[in-house]
Amino acid sequence: MDLPYRTRDFISFRPGLAAIVLASIGIAAGAGARTGIGSIEVDQLQAKLDSQQAQFDQVRTHAKQEVNAMAARLAELQAEANRLNALGERLTRIGQLQDGEFDFDKPVGVGGAGPVRDMKPGELHDGLDQLQAQLQSSGGQLTLLESLLFNRQLDQNAVPSRMPIANTYITSGFGGRADPFGGGSQYHKGIDFKANVGDPVTAVADGVVSYSGVRSGYGNVIEIDHGNGYVTRYAHNSKLLLKVGDLARAGQTIAKAGSTGRSTGAHVHLEVWQNGAVVNPRKFLGEQGNGLKRG
């Protein structure tokens, strides 16, 4: 390549300086080339970094979705466990278990030998599935048991098994006795309990009022049909609180004690009829009546 006249003249008269200039031009050209190559490498590294960041974001999103799904499963299992705890407490009350015999809030003791390893996500999901199946099975069994105990409780509540008045004693028992008005002997069809006028008279079992009014010799009377062959009669009341057709719950106040009818003083007269025949009420009083004494 032919150099311009002035360039040839410059090289001829100043060869050292010309060498320096040419060397500088070569270095600059080489640096430019290396700069171009470095830029390509940087772009490649940036692209790789962006790809890795996208993969990381994808993994993080997937992990977040997994955590949210497991949190939802955990909430469902916790709700089921709370339901079973509440159901267990109701069964404890219905079954009249002793306090502390079953503590549903106390964690159970567990243990086991090592070694310990990290649990894989699939194993964790399988464990949650098994736990859910166990809770559902236990819940079904407890629900059935609750139904059976509830039905048994209904049956018990429909059988005379309570006192008609609190804090009392028997003044006259069931069966033969001397007539209180001095007219010979008499067959007493019920039990008389000491009471004061106005004391609450309570139903000895669940049932429906079948009679509410005055009966000869009994004064003001309430009779309750318990729907299972049993009928109870409460006599000599000063006031009747329920009418025919009303529902009476065991322990509910149905009348006020008094001395109406053929009576020598305030008391509660209780009769129990079973399938149309009068029976001794004493056997229906349960533990409450075991300690009663005649006055």
Side-chain angles (χ1 to χ4, degrees), residues 1-4 8:
M1 179 178 64
D2 294 335
L3 296 174
R8 288 196 304 267

Side-chain angles (χ1 to χ4, degrees), residues 19-99:
I20 294 173
V21 171
L22 291 175
S24 299
I25 294 173
I27 293 173
R34 287 195 298 272
T35 301
I37 295 173
S39 177
I40 294 174
E41 292 177 349
V42 169
D43 292 342
Q44 292 175 345
L45 290 175
Q46 184 64 46
K48 187 176 181 179
L49 181 61
D50 292 341
S51 176
Q52 291 177 345
Q53 182 65 42
Q55 293 177 2
F56 174 76
D57 292 340
Q58 184 178 5
V59 170
R60 183 173 59 181
T61 300
H62 180 72
K64 185 177 181 180
Q65 292 173 347
E66 286 285 325
V67 171
N68 290 339
M70 292 178 60
R73 289 289 304 279
L74 181 60
E76 292 176 358
L77 295 177
Q78 185 62 53
E80 182 67 14
N82 291 338
R83 187 185 75 85
L84 293 182
N85 285 340
L87 180 58
E89 291 176 359
R90 289 201 302 272
L91 294 180
T92 300
R93 292 193 298 268
I94 294 175
Q96 297 181 347
L97 302 177
Q98 297 295 325
D99 292 341

Side-chain angles (χ1 to χ4, degrees), residues 235-249:
H236 307 297
N237 302 290
S238 62
K239 184 178 182 180
L240 306 179
L241 302 181
L242 299 182
K243 61 182 183 299
V244 174
D246 285 346
L247 178 65
R249 293 293 187 184

Side-chain angles (χ1 to χ4, degrees), residues 109-224:
V110 295
V116 178
R117 61 178 178 82
D118 292 337
M119 181 178 290
K120 297 179 180 179
E123 294 177 341
L124 180 57
H125 283 293
D126 291 341
L128 290 176
D129 290 339
Q130 293 176 6
L131 178 58
Q132 185 174 26
Q134 292 174 358
L135 289 176
Q136 290 176 347
S137 177
S138 299
Q141 294 174 358
L142 287 176
T143 300
L144 177 59
L145 180 59
E146 181 187 33
S147 177
L148 293 175
L149 288 177
F150 181 73
N151 290 335
R152 189 184 72 176
Q153 186 70 29
L154 289 179
D155 292 339
Q156 291 177 344
N157 287 342
V159 175
S161 58
R162 292 168 174 79
M163 298 287 293
I165 187 169
N167 303 319
T168 187
Y169 56 88
I170 295 175
T171 57
S172 183
F174 177 83
R177 69 171 186 178
D179 183 71
F181 292 93
S185 64
Q186 179 195 42
Y187 185 80
H188 192 218
K189 295 180 180 180
I191 291 179
D192 293 339
F193 298 90
K194 175 68 175 67
N196 296 315
V197 175
D199 284 348
V201 179
T202 58
V204 298
D206 292 345
V208 177
V209 177
S210 56
Y211 184 87
S212 180
V214 178
R215 285 194 183 277
S216 177
Y218 289 98
N220 295 326
V221 173
I222 276 190
E223 295 177 3
I224 298 176

